[in-house]
Amino acid sequence: MRATSSPLQADANGYHFGHRAHDYAEIVRRWKVVAKLAGLRREVIAEQGGYRVYGLKTRRMAADAAPLYLSAGCHGDEPAAVAGLLEWAEENVAQIASRPILLLPCLNPWGLVNNTRHNHEWLDLNRQFHVEKHPLIAGWRQFIEDYRFPVAATLHEDYDANGIYLYELNPRVGHSYGEPLLQKCEQIILREWRDVIEGRRAKNAIVRRTRGVPKLEGMPEAVTLFAEQGCATLTFETPSEFGLFDRVRAHKAFVAGLFEATR
């Protein structure tokens, strides 16, 4: 008897062999379509390593708007975050157009094209957000300076992870976005089982903090937003050794869940 694969497995195989997750020109082309359909304004916030870094936001967004902040691609070897955010946007154009939203689709295009964590200067950009004179960070600050974010999400992947997990910096004691969001995503990839992640205690795959700034070498994007704006910041991680198809689906589920939870 000839073995047959499930439709989902066939989709995963096709995705694996046909994806263009590191093709930045194709990613930009698709975001241009989303921007046109959803009425987003597209801006160049910096040029890094020969590539333009774009930010998108709702057109005519009032200066006092409180948009949802979504960011991906700070580490170039984490392509599922970039692809997941893009595919979610393509499938939810009308919803994006209906509310204030600010998107950073790929902060490190050079790293994405070259499949490396670092940028063209061999810096880990996610430890550079305190360096205000860095061209990317300066452009990022100018792009977001008029807005206060109730929630900011940054999408990542982890080479050492055994499952999905979440860093949650949330000043609201007794409130957490993490548990219901991971419940949605664990239908695709199970949670990380370790109770210590990157040296920090985790409960049910959530590393949570309500006050104080974590001590790190350099400042990540999410920690900077938490420290400077006091907003809840969520850093979602998928295990980068798992299949790309499932990792992308997990990121899409996370963003979809967050979009609904913050209406």
Side-chain angles (χ1 to χ4, degrees), residues 164-190:
I164 58 170
Y165 68 91
L166 181 71
Y167 293 103
E168 179 172 1
L169 301 173
N170 190 342
R172 294 173 60 187
V173 177
H175 174 271
S176 176
Y177 291 98
E179 182 59 32
L181 289 173
L182 289 190
Q183 285 179 10
K184 292 179 178 294
C185 299
E186 68 183 345
Q187 298 176 41
I188 302 164
I189 298 177
L190 295 178

Side-chain angles (χ1 to χ4, degrees), residues 65-113:
L68 178 64
Y69 178 106
L70 297 170
S71 173
C74 198
H75 293 143
D77 59 349
E78 300 173 5
V82 175
L85 182 58
L86 172 57
E87 292 186 19
W88 169 82
E90 289 175 327
E91 295 169 10
N92 293 276
V93 167
Q95 291 90 327
I96 292 171
S98 70
R99 62 184 287 188
I101 188 166
L102 186 148
L103 298 132
L104 292 154
C106 183
L107 282 171
N108 183 10
W110 186 92
L112 184 75
V113 171

